[in-house]
Amino acid sequence: MKWQSLLPQQCILLIPCLLMALEAVPIDIDKTKVKGEGHVEGEKIENPDTGLYYDEYLRQVIDVLETDKHFREKLQTADIEEIKSGKLSRELDLVSHHVRTRLDELKRQEVARLRMLIKAKMDSVQDTGIDHQALLKQFEHLNHQNPDTFEPKDLDMLIKAATSDLENYDKTRHEEFKKYEMMKEHERREYLKTLDEEKRQREESKFEEMKKKHGDHPKVHHPGSKDQLKEVWEEADGLDPNEFDPKTFFKLHDVNNDRFLDEQELEALFTKELEKVYDPKNEEDDMVEMEEERLRMREHVMNEVDINKDRLVTLEEFLRATEKKEFLEPDSWETLDQQQHDQLQAQKQELQQVVKQMEQKKLQQANPPAGPAGELKFQPPGEHKIEEAPKHPAGGDQPLPPGHIQEPAARTDQVHP
């Protein structure tokens, strides 16, 4: 199996190589019954770009290492810890001189490319006196301290950088989609501000009508369920739905024959479901939103099926998933627009509850509770009840209220004129 097959987006670098030596279960398929042209034996399958800024460098290094018989054999017996810990990288010292020379050349080309990128960026802001060596530190996929030769440390750094970057790729895609949605809504609102009242109402009505039209679509099957896979089997593969067989299905959709369903091969299975909701010809259907929906579907299936979390589905994992109750009797799938609608409704209910609580509090302050005789149990802020001091006859036995000073009794011996 070629290493190129290990480079789909989000697939952890080199992990699939651990299972290269496993024998696939033999499956007999009548290719003549399968709709479309099959994969030609020996034909090179171009894998999608990983999305990494050093994608080409990564691919070139893999191509060169693949030509060394010793390194390829070590790779077949390596486990995930040996790859991640850097133990496999030390095998680079044993590869042929020709391979090392070619790797050195690739690294010098990559360093030169990064320096050109840095220079172009600095020139755009009119900065002078560029310290390339210092700026190269921001690139973690190679050892910038040694720009001339490709060493074991370079392979170790490349593996770790690609693993980390690809693991975070999904998260980045979700964040970018959220920003896209926010900007789209912002631009819509800003546009409405430029319209008079009549045109604004027409635009708002059109917007609501498009949302309703977009939501009016056939039922979307739960991704990875038997109903969903049988639909692909029948409509995409052109096979009899009554003859659906999970093993055959797996083999058919393992496009590059590497004995795994990678993330791109899984995402391809959801095309039929997505076509129920999105049509590029329809104004109300957003193709950026469709790709977010595809990502959600793939993440869901991976979470359900990928037992060892290596971001690849083996035949064993696939067959085990088909034995679960969720495969035969799945819950209904909530599409992105339905999820957003539910979230909006939940936010509205929460807001209504807050407003209701504020109104109740305001009402209580306006009408404070009263005692049995109608007196207030508490005084509103700023108001104080003035109590009259009890009247007692002078010289009486009753104590006077606190703070009241008794006037002295009149003197009987005082002489009056």
Side-chain angles (χ1 to χ4, degrees):
M1 178 186 71
K2 283 185 172 291
W3 279 23
Q4 287 95 327
S5 64
L6 312 179
L7 284 174
Q9 293 173 356
Q10 306 91 35
C11 179
I12 299 178
L13 180 67
L14 298 179
I15 293 178
C17 300
L18 308 180
L19 303 175
M20 281 172 45
L22 291 180
E23 292 296 329
V25 176
I27 301 174
D28 293 327
I29 300 177
D30 186 354
K31 296 282 187 177
T32 61
K33 294 183 179 179
V34 179
K35 193 186 296 184
E37 296 183 3
H39 172 60
V40 178
E41 189 69 27
E43 179 184 0
K44 184 177 180 180
I45 299 175
E46 293 297 331
N47 289 282
D49 191 291
T50 60
L52 303 177
Y53 65 88
Y54 49 89
D55 175 80
E56 185 177 358
Y57 174 65
L58 174 62
R59 291 172 182 271
Q60 289 174 335
V61 169
I62 289 175
D63 284 340
V64 172
L65 286 173
E66 188 184 31
T67 64
D68 187 86
K69 182 180 179 181
H70 169 79
F71 194 86
R72 190 166 61 247
E73 289 175 351
K74 287 291 183 182
L75 182 62
Q76 290 178 351
T77 59
D79 60 27
I80 184 59
E81 291 306 320
E82 288 178 324
I83 293 175
K84 285 191 170 183
S85 67
K87 182 178 180 180
L88 181 66
S89 301
R90 292 193 287 273
E91 296 295 329
L92 188 67
D93 290 330
L94 303 177
V95 301
S96 66
H97 175 72
H98 171 73
V99 170
R100 289 297 293 270
T101 301
R102 179 62 183 136
L103 291 173
D104 292 346
E105 182 182 347
L106 288 176
K107 182 178 179 180
R108 287 192 291 268
Q109 291 174 357
E110 178 69 357
V111 171
R113 183 184 73 88
L114 296 177
R115 284 175 172 168
M116 287 179 62
L117 289 175
I118 292 171
K119 184 177 185 303
K121 183 177 181 179
M122 294 300 104
D123 287 347
S124 66
V125 294
Q126 302 297 320
D127 198 351
T128 57
I130 302 172
D131 184 355
H132 288 95
Q133 197 65 18
L135 291 174
L136 280 172
K137 292 180 180 180
Q138 65 185 298
F139 303 113
E140 299 179 350
H141 65 287
L142 50 71
N143 180 15
H144 61 88
Q145 295 178 337
N146 175 16
D148 299 316
T149 59
F150 191 97
E151 303 296 336
K153 184 176 181 179
D154 289 288
L155 181 57
D156 186 39
M157 293 180 69
L158 184 59
I159 291 173
K160 290 179 178 178
T163 299
S164 175
D165 292 342
L166 291 172
E167 284 177 340
N168 293 325
Y169 191 79
D170 285 350
K171 181 180 178 181
T172 302
R173 282 179 63 182
H174 286 308
E175 290 174 351
E176 289 176 352
F177 176 72
K178 288 180 181 179
K179 291 178 182 178
Y180 166 79
E181 288 285 278
M182 291 173 62
M183 183 58 67
K184 186 172 69 173
E185 178 63 16
H186 171 72
E187 291 176 353
R188 187 183 76 85
R189 296 189 179 213
E190 289 299 310
Y191 171 67
L192 291 176
K193 291 179 182 179
T194 65
L195 305 178
D196 58 39
E197 185 62 25
E198 183 180 352
K199 290 182 178 179
R200 187 182 303 115
Q201 289 181 359
R202 284 204 302 266
E203 283 295 322
E204 289 284 18
S205 298
K206 180 182 176 182
F207 177 71
E208 292 300 324
E209 183 181 343
M210 287 174 61
K211 283 174 61 177
K212 184 178 179 180
K213 188 177 179 182
H214 172 70
D216 184 17
H217 54 72
K219 178 185 176 182
V220 176
H221 291 305
H222 195 99
S225 67
K226 184 176 182 179
D227 289 339
Q228 190 258 313
L229 298 185
K230 280 185 69 174
E231 190 172 66
V232 175
W233 173 275
E234 180 180 7
E235 297 187 14
D237 301 332
L239 298 174
D240 187 344
N242 297 321
E243 297 179 0
F244 176 76
D245 177 63
K247 287 184 180 180
T248 306
F249 184 92
F250 182 95
K251 181 67 175 179
L252 280 174
H253 294 277
D254 176 19
V255 181
N256 57 9
N257 297 319
D258 64 355
R259 303 167 186 171
F260 304 100
L261 291 182
D262 61 38
E263 293 179 332
Q264 275 61 49
E265 289 166 337
L266 278 178
E267 288 185 358
L269 300 179
F270 310 136
T271 300
K272 281 292 176 184
E273 297 305 312
L274 294 168
E275 287 176 349
K276 297 176 181 178
V277 186
Y278 300 95
D279 185 343
K281 298 177 183 178
N282 294 339
E283 183 183 3
E284 68 271 12
D285 297 337
D286 188 336
M287 294 300 104
V288 176
E289 185 178 292
M290 182 186 75
E291 292 307 315
E292 175 71 7
E293 186 72 75
R294 190 192 302 272
L295 174 58
R296 290 179 65 239
M297 289 180 169
R298 188 255 296 158
E299 285 182 325
H300 172 75
V301 172
M302 275 294 187
N303 288 334
E304 294 290 319
V305 180
D306 182 22
I307 298 173
N308 62 359
K309 305 304 177 185
D310 64 355
R311 304 175 80 91
L312 291 166
V313 177
T314 65
L315 177 62
E316 181 183 358
E317 290 174 327
F318 184 77
L319 294 179
R320 188 175 298 181
T322 63
E323 297 171 357
K324 296 179 180 179
K325 180 181 178 182
E326 292 81 359
F327 179 73
L328 301 173
E329 303 174 11
D331 296 330
S332 60
W333 177 254
E334 194 174 62
T335 58
L336 187 62
D337 56 313
Q338 292 170 335
Q339 185 185 64
Q340 290 174 337
H341 177 267
D342 291 346
Q343 289 175 347
L344 183 60
Q345 290 299 111
Q347 290 173 354
K348 285 182 178 179
Q349 290 178 359
E350 185 178 352
L351 180 61
Q352 290 172 352
Q353 186 66 23
V354 171
V355 171
K356 184 177 180 181
Q357 291 175 354
M358 291 177 65
E359 290 177 348
Q360 289 177 346
K361 187 174 182 180
K362 187 176 180 181
L363 186 63
Q364 289 175 352
Q365 291 177 345
N367 302 292
E375 73 277 9
L376 295 180
K377 289 186 177 180
F378 67 92
Q379 296 294 334
E383 297 184 17
H384 300 283
K385 185 176 180 180
I386 301 175
E387 298 182 359
E388 294 182 0
K391 298 178 181 180
H392 300 288
D397 296 331
Q398 288 287 350
L400 295 175
H404 185 83
I405 302 175
Q406 182 179 0
E407 294 183 4
R411 293 176 61 182
T412 57
D413 60 343
Q414 186 175 355
V415 179
H416 294 282

